[in-house]
Amino acid sequence: MSEKVLMKGNEAIAEAAIRAGCRHFFGYPITPQTEVAAYMARRMPKVDGLYLQAESEIAAINMVLGASAAGVRAMTSSSSPGIALKSEGLSYLAGCDLPALVVNVQRGGPGLGGIQPSQSDYFQATRGAGHGDFHLLVLAPNSIQEMVDLTYLAFELADRYRVTAMLLADGILGQMMEPVSLPDPAAADLPPKDWAVTGTGGKRLHNIVNSLYLKPEDLEATNLARYEKYAVIQRREARHEAFLLDDADIVVAAYGASARIAKNAILAARAEGIRAGLLRPVTLWPFPKAAFAQAAKTARAFVTVEMSMGQMIEDVELSVRCAKPVTLCSRVGGMVPAPEQILESIRQAAGGAK
Amino acid sequence: MVPFPRRLIILAGHYGSGKTNLAVQLALTLRETHDRVAVADLDIVNPYYRTKDAAARLQSAGIRLIASPFAGSNLDAPAMTSETGQIFDDPGLAAVADVGGDDRGALALGRYAAKIAALGADAQMWFVFNQRRPLSATPEDALAILREVEAAGHVPFTGLINNTNLGPDTAPDTVLSSLPVIAELSRLSGLPIIMTSVRRDLCPALTGQIDDLFPLDILQKAEWRL
């Protein structure tokens, strides 16, 4: 499908996953991500793949664990409350060092919240996906094309590092439609899955995929080794987009749909003579700390735009070591910030209305 | 000219084919010749992009919007309002019914199948087709969806609308390259092509190459400005 097609974000994730070789999808419907599952239900049987609607989100994530342990590319998708239910499984996936893709198309919370778009699962994705010391590799698309490109990348990085990757989208990106092209994923030189539980054929010792360690010394060593791997990921895989950043006095930090709206406000600020720019994290973990530290050398102030009460702002403050003021511009509960609101925050950061 | 039925146009088809935008445009066109026009949102599937997003535009044109009070809200309830029945029962009303996508969306239609049958030729149900939607890109796949919608809604289609587009990337060629595909869908289904709906600014380039062009103004969620 090199010819462009018109897709919803949710559909684009599903088609990209299939093109990336995923033939095992386990899910449970929840708005606003249901089209991922609906698309998989229609397409998987045509490519000899498996679409399975589990009895719950918890069952689905544990099916992903089982499939991944058997060495295949596996995924699940859900929206905020459903991801919370999966948190035990996410921790077990980390404890087993298993690659997988988990999609979160965020909606408003906490609790049952609502079905309108939100970005209030940033902490959940980057800090609190489950118990124990671990990280998910978190990718944040901001267009339907990036839904495709980052789905490819997520599977590749998950297999390369044996980590679970999360695609953190929001309801806007899941539901909106844009033209998109679906090239074949670039061939990657990935390590063999010689750890997978695929049967020994009587020729080798059996593999064990497990997160239980009877000796605390062994568990400590495993954790230390895992964090050495995380350090490598932090060095190599942090990604960001810069927009009008080089001469920016006011740096707007935003990801996902918020970043698209922020671009309108940045252009409007420039028209008023305020040098504003955008620093958009594409990976939320690892967070592009170096890019923020660099921007802090010349910027006067930072404004984070989030559909949350202020979550990513903590990573921005940590990255700039509080060297420059960081303020928050936000809407929550399923409401979406307007360019005018962001422009006003940029004006305030620049020293108030001229 | 679009051969409008006297009472009711029902738009159904694959989700994301452009039914809602088309429903609003058809209602605006109907309003030019009818005093009392309504758009009824029968979508029980789609959470975000709803007929209700065009409420202000419809209201300023004097068109009544019949929609669930929960549409566009935080309540994920597959509900319709009891007022929906008026588009079938009120002989003085010209209406467009915007049905939810695929067979799941068309389930809502079954409730009114007998009333629709009783309207005879005064009610027409048109299959909205976008050749650039990957699950309905071939005549065979589109026909499968068409038949699933009919089976779920218990109402047979009477025509096809070619609404092929790529959103902002739509070019005259996008539409032209879809013509053989919808011609084949027409042959397979036995249904006539009612019209080809095209973004208004592209119409001049296609005039003379396509019969029955229907110019579309594109609805946007203005406040998001993506």
Side-chain angles (χ1 to χ4, degrees), chain B residues 145-169:
Chain B
I145 291 173
L146 186 153
R147 295 295 181 223
E148 287 167 11
V149 169
E150 286 181 328
H154 300 281
V155 182
F157 282 104
T158 58
L160 308 173
I161 295 180
N162 187 1
N163 190 47
T164 295
N165 76 88
L166 263 178
D169 289 4

Side-chain angles (χ1 to χ4, degrees), chain A residues 34 210 272:
Chain A
T34 298
N210 177 33
E272 292 181 7

Side-chain angles (χ1 to χ4, degrees), chain B residues 26-37 61-63:
Chain B
L26 285 170
L28 290 167
T29 307
L30 272 177
R31 184 66 185 84
E32 293 168 10
T33 50
H34 292 71
D35 287 337
R36 294 176 57 225
V37 176
I63 295 167

Side-chain angles (χ1 to χ4, degrees), chain A residues 122-145:
Chain A
Y122 183 93
F123 283 157
Q124 183 195 43
T126 62
R127 310 275 201 283
H131 64 281
D133 283 317
F134 77 96
H135 285 290
L136 300 175
L137 201 157
V138 185
L139 299 160
N142 84 331
S143 67
I144 310 308
Q145 189 62 55

Side-chain angles (χ1 to χ4, degrees), chain A residues 249-254 262 266 277-279 292 300-306 312-313 316 325-330 341-350:
Chain A
D249 290 327
I250 308 302
V251 174
V252 177
I266 285 163
L278 175 73
L279 208 171
F292 277 92
R300 281 166 50 202
F302 290 76
V303 177
T304 74
V305 182
E306 307 178 53
M312 185 181 71
I313 190 172
V316 175
V326 186
T327 53
L328 172 70
C329 173
S330 91
Q341 181 193 353
I342 302 170
L343 176 60
E344 186 53 32
S345 293
I346 293 171
R347 286 190 194 121
Q348 293 294 328

Side-chain angles (χ1 to χ4, degrees), chain A residues 94-180:
Chain A
C96 297
D97 294 302
L98 285 175
L101 174 62
V102 176
V103 177
N104 182 2
V105 183
Q106 297 170 88
R107 56 189 259 180
L112 206 47
I115 63 170
Q116 298 295 322
S118 170
Q119 295 179 313
S120 53
D121 300 346
Y122 183 93
F123 283 157
Q124 183 195 43
T126 62
R127 310 275 201 283
H131 64 281
D133 283 317
F134 77 96
H135 285 290
L136 300 175
L137 201 157
V138 185
L139 299 160
N142 84 331
S143 67
I144 310 308
Q145 189 62 55
E146 271 198 1
M147 295 287 226
V148 172
D149 300 343
L150 295 186
T151 295
Y152 290 167
L153 182 65
F155 275 115
E156 181 189 326
L157 294 180
D159 279 351
R160 182 176 307 286
Y161 296 106
R162 285 185 67 180
V163 294
T164 295
M166 173 175 279
L167 197 70
L168 189 69
D170 59 67
I172 292 177
L173 292 165
Q175 292 297 322
M176 70 186 281
M177 297 179 76
E178 280 185 325
V180 64

